[in-house]
Amino acid sequence: MRYIVLTFFILAAQPTIGQHSFNVVREEISIPMRDGIKLGAIVYRPDQNQKFPAIVYRTPYGSLNYDGYAEFPLKAAKQGYVVFLVDVRGRYSSEGEFVAYKNEKQDGYDVIEWVARYEFCNGRVGTYGGSYPGIVQWQALSLAPPSLKAAAPEMTPIGSHHFFYYGGAFSFPWLDWFVTSILPDKRQRANDTSGTWSDDVAEEEWQQVKQKWYSYRPLTELPILKKYAPEYYEWLTHPDSSAWWSFVEIQNDFKKIQAPIFLLSGWYDAAYGPEGAIRAYNKIMKESERTAVREHTKLILGPWNHTTVTTRKTRFGEIEFGPSAGFDYNQALLEWYDIILKDKTNLNALSPVNIFVMGENKWRHEQQWPLNGVKPVAYYLHSQGNAGADKSGGRLNLVPPGKEKNDEYLFDPANPLWDKSYEKSYPYDQREIESRKDVLVYTSEPLTEDLEVIGEVVAELFVSSSARDTDFSITLCDVYPDGRSINLSGLDAGYLRMRYRNGYGKQELMEPGKIYPIKIGSLYTANVFKKGHRIRLQITSSKAPHYDPNPNTGAEIATEKNLQLAQQKIFHEKNFPSRLVLPVVSK
């Protein structure tokens, strides 16, 4: 997906105190795979005739492009590492055909083991990178290369299906990703002059036409990717979670993982990011059989989106998070590598769990996830049936409902809710969104004291629809005394396609008008609702262009051309007590 491109800069370029700063050699080489294909790579190494630990970065976005601005390779080489920047198969300087994610497990294993035998490597290898360069690390980890001693897959999922079909709905930003980041190089390799060979030009052109293609139906007949991205259409025709997705799936491989992991994501990262980091951390703590892996694995969750993390970037969207939000990722990563790959002692080592708490704009350094002292607290939905038309009519409080009228709205998939921040999710005032008639709003009274919420936010709702299939989604907001309603996660979090309400492996259509209990989760945050602020829950049925709007027909979505309206109802009364469950930190 377009916003999947992720790189990290540094601003503090001085070597760690007491560590030698080496002169550096830069070389361009090729790395053979087991099938004879050669991958192009750039190597930075200390100008010394001795062996060092190695760090590998594998990317589909061009090692030369990355090399043009990233300071990490040079910094790491100056501090005694051999750094490899490798183009994945079929991209830029590498041979072969690029098929997204298909070859990354085997190629990752081969690259790591070849690097371990490189004449200037001492046999210890680490990996790093975020998004696609992060996912390829997980894929290599699933095969347990014996020379891989540390990995840093940032802002990534660990499961395949919820990466492509989050909440059961297809993730539309794949379209952006192919058009702007993959097709130009594919055209150039084919000497195809029918379109641009430049990613930057492709991005400019896409901005002018993308709205048209987002609404194209049926999805499987979209013409613009047919020539160079056949895998896109394969993904569309495999909407269920199944063994077909095993080429990128690693969730069942955690017992094989022999290396500690440096996990980083942000509250405004793509929804799979914080969920992937948190789930990975807990799986390592529960499933790893190696004490060293558990002891050295770190979890870092900041106020960031799917973008660059630097010491200076502290404002995202409409919120300034203060100087503590700045983070020198590269320095922290190198200090972590020093412990694992060089057996150094670091008195400033990170805690196991490091969480930036918004509202307070401070870090918490903890020993586990979920945090000690976090308890689920239910806030029940109330209204007189007017939470859509009268935005002050929907209420949240701790009292279970009695006899109340349900809320309802009409969902039109031809007019979906549009998230203006979808390319780089960020916090912004939601009042324009909340003014829509198809958005229900439930708000607490002003808080009489601070309320700290850290963890997974879950809505347990009772719903019905006139359709045989439809979508429901939630957004949690912090309402300021001046009326601003600020989202506490990316808007793509908290989504459910109803045919998958009982699991993603099997589709079950609805009976129109029947009331169903559903649970919408996978929305993670850390925020202090300050005294005088209010808690707000939004409920609606679309999050475009994050996901394809449900056509509401109950037909196979990828091949459906028709759209129909759906009358949605949310129930909140004694027998159907819909509620928002918050992970509240006890005092």
Side-chain angles (χ1 to χ4, degrees), residues 392-432:
S392 64
R395 294 173 289 113
L396 283 177
N397 62 40
L398 302 174
V399 181
K403 185 177 181 180
E404 296 183 8
K405 185 178 179 181
N406 62 270
D407 291 301
E408 58 185 88
Y409 60 92
L410 190 66
F411 165 46
D412 180 359
N415 181 30
L417 181 152
W418 192 270
D419 176 19
K420 68 181 184 182
S421 79
Y422 82 98
E423 292 177 291
K424 289 280 182 69
S425 291
Y426 52 76
Y428 66 96
D429 193 343
Q430 297 287 298
R431 284 178 289 184
E432 181 178 353

Side-chain angles (χ1 to χ4, degrees), residues 146-160:
S147 302
L148 182 58
K149 306 303 180 183
E154 290 80 39
M155 298 186 175
T156 68
I158 60 168
S160 57

Side-chain angles (χ1 to χ4, degrees), residues 450-476:
D450 291 356
L451 182 75
E452 187 170 22
V453 171
I454 300 177
E456 183 181 13
V457 174
V458 176
E460 297 174 353
L461 306 176
F462 292 87
V463 305
S464 74
S465 176
S466 63
R468 299 190 68 209
D469 183 43
T470 193
D471 297 349
F472 289 98
S473 67
I474 62 170
T475 301
L476 179 67

Side-chain angles (χ1 to χ4, degrees), residues 102-121:
K102 276 287 189 178
N103 298 293
E104 306 304 356
K105 288 186 177 183
Q106 180 175 294
D107 283 358
Y109 185 101
D110 290 355
V111 167
I112 289 163
E113 291 307 307
W114 187 91
V115 164
R117 299 189 299 270
Y118 180 66
E119 60 179 315
F120 295 103
C121 179

Side-chain angles (χ1 to χ4, degrees), residues 10 12-19 53 55 72 75-77 79-81 124 128 150 152 260 262 295-296 298 300 311 327-351 354 365:
I10 64 162
Q14 295 301 314
T16 303
I17 294 175
Q19 195 163 22
I55 303 172
F72 179 82
K75 179 183 176 75
Q79 293 187 198
Y81 291 93
R124 289 185 171 188
Y128 81 104
F262 192 92
E295 287 182 349
H296 291 304
K298 307 296 182 183
I300 305 167
T311 55
F327 184 72
D328 193 341
Y329 167 83
N330 292 334
Q331 186 62 34
L333 182 58
L334 281 173
E335 291 174 355
W336 182 74
Y337 281 142
D338 282 350
I339 295 171
I340 300 164
L341 299 180
K342 294 184 178 180
D343 300 320
K344 290 183 176 291
T345 300
N346 185 353
L347 298 179
N348 297 316
L350 290 165
S351 300
N354 306 270
H365 302 287

Side-chain angles (χ1 to χ4, degrees), residues 100-102 104-105 139 164 235 243-249:
Y101 304 103
K102 276 287 189 178
E104 306 304 356
K105 288 186 177 183
Q139 291 177 279
F164 298 86
W235 299 345
W244 186 86
W245 294 99
S246 62
F247 66 94
V248 72
E249 181 63 64

